[in-house]
Amino acid sequence: SYVLTQPPSVSLAPGQTARITCEGNKIGSKSVHWYQQKPGQAPVLVVYNDSDRPSGIPERFSGSNSGNTATLTITRVESGDEADYYCHVWHSSDDHLYVIFGGGTKLTVL
Amino acid sequence: EVQLVESGGGEVQPGRPLRLSCEASGFSFDDYGMHWVRQAPGKGLEWVAGISWNSGRIGYADSVKGRATISRDNAKNSLYLQMNGLRAEDTALYYCAKDRGTIFGVYSMDVWGPGTTVIVSS
């Protein structure tokens, strides 16, 4: 099976740049999607297809993907960015398709 | 407004069945794939099942394969998840989510419902 590994937590001060990684075997050959989930709320798509932003998502959110690592970057972090972040890819195995989520990263703004 | 609303959750005994529903509005339901994603208390997201726009392609997580059936009724703008043989580890908040595109196996999930809670307990 395909595994996506994320750091459990990232902490930084307001105004800094957060980089949340998602590691997987040759993940650079897949499209990676990122979701933000605030406590008690449903997930929200923040980046799709590695680096595209849905309408309404601030330009501070960006993504990249190469080799074995995809990265969600949040510049000028604000308290409102505190949330869990999940990466997602599709994986094919034995002619079956699976959605794979990373374990999630809790972003704390100090 | 694009909206998904889940229903059918509740407390159920181990081994019993449960059927979840998701009603969609505000978009052309029959143009998009749909998914069920669950989240156990304090845990991360876990994909349960997905279905293409015309039910031609369906996928299940290994954890529910053989116990779950995803289906849709495009005339009713509704998605369903039938779960049989429920186990304690199926306890979770179950989300319905819309695929961003029409091709199964490519896209992200761009709209999520608020979820419905399933508790499996004796």
Side-chain angles (χ1 to χ4, degrees):
Chain A
S1 61
Y2 192 81
V3 176
L4 295 176
T5 302
Q6 297 182 235
S9 62
V10 169
S11 299
L12 67 174
Q16 292 188 314
T17 297
R19 293 179 180 85
I20 298 172
T21 58
C22 176
E23 296 184 348
N25 185 38
K26 298 179 182 178
I27 195 173
S29 65
K30 300 179 181 294
S31 285
V32 180
H33 317 295
W34 291 91
Y35 304 88
Q36 174 194 69
Q37 186 181 34
K38 296 182 179 180
Q41 297 183 21
V44 172
L45 178 67
V46 292
V47 167
Y48 64 95
N49 294 355
D50 296 341
S51 58
D52 292 329
R53 266 187 323 277
S55 60
I57 300 301
E59 291 184 6
R60 300 186 298 105
F61 288 80
S62 63
S64 61
N65 184 18
S66 178
N68 292 320
T69 304
T71 303
L72 173 69
T73 301
I74 310 171
T75 58
R76 302 184 303 281
V77 165
E78 306 169 353
S79 59
D81 299 330
E82 274 207 348
D84 294 325
Y85 291 85
Y86 296 90
C87 55
H88 151 210
V89 300
W90 281 90
H91 176 65
S92 176
S93 175
D94 297 330
D95 203 35
H96 294 288
L97 288 167
Y98 299 91
V99 166
I100 308 295
F101 286 107
T105 297
K106 183 176 184 61
L107 175 64
T108 299
V109 181
L110 302 170
Chain B
E1 180 191 5
V2 176
Q3 198 171 9
L4 298 170
V5 179
E6 303 92 340
S7 61
E11 188 163 352
V12 60
Q13 292 181 327
R16 301 294 293 170
L18 196 66
R19 189 193 197 208
L20 305 181
S21 300
C22 170
E23 186 170 339
S25 59
F27 65 98
S28 297
F29 181 72
D30 53 7
D31 279 346
Y32 297 95
M34 297 292 297
H35 302 272
W36 288 100
V37 176
R38 68 185 181 184
Q39 188 168 33
K43 302 296 184 182
L45 301 177
E46 180 190 16
W47 177 71
V48 176
I51 187 168
S52 63
W53 66 277
N54 63 350
S55 306
R57 292 211 71 175
I58 288 174
Y60 296 98
D62 290 344
S63 58
V64 301
K65 201 170 291 184
R67 300 188 299 121
T69 302
I70 187 172
S71 62
R72 64 190 295 161
D73 185 337
N74 288 344
K76 295 183 178 179
N77 290 343
S78 293
L79 175 74
Y80 306 102
L81 181 69
Q82 175 72 39
M83 290 282 291
N84 298 322
L86 282 164
R87 306 167 180 168
E89 54 265 35
D90 295 318
T91 294
L93 180 61
Y94 284 72
Y95 293 105
C96 165
K98 169 187 168 290
D99 216 59
R100 201 180 63 80
T102 58
I103 301 174
F104 192 73
V106 175
Y107 297 104
S108 55
M109 301 172 202
D110 63 349
V111 181
W112 297 64
T116 186
T117 299
V118 173
I119 299 172
V120 183
S121 173
S122 54

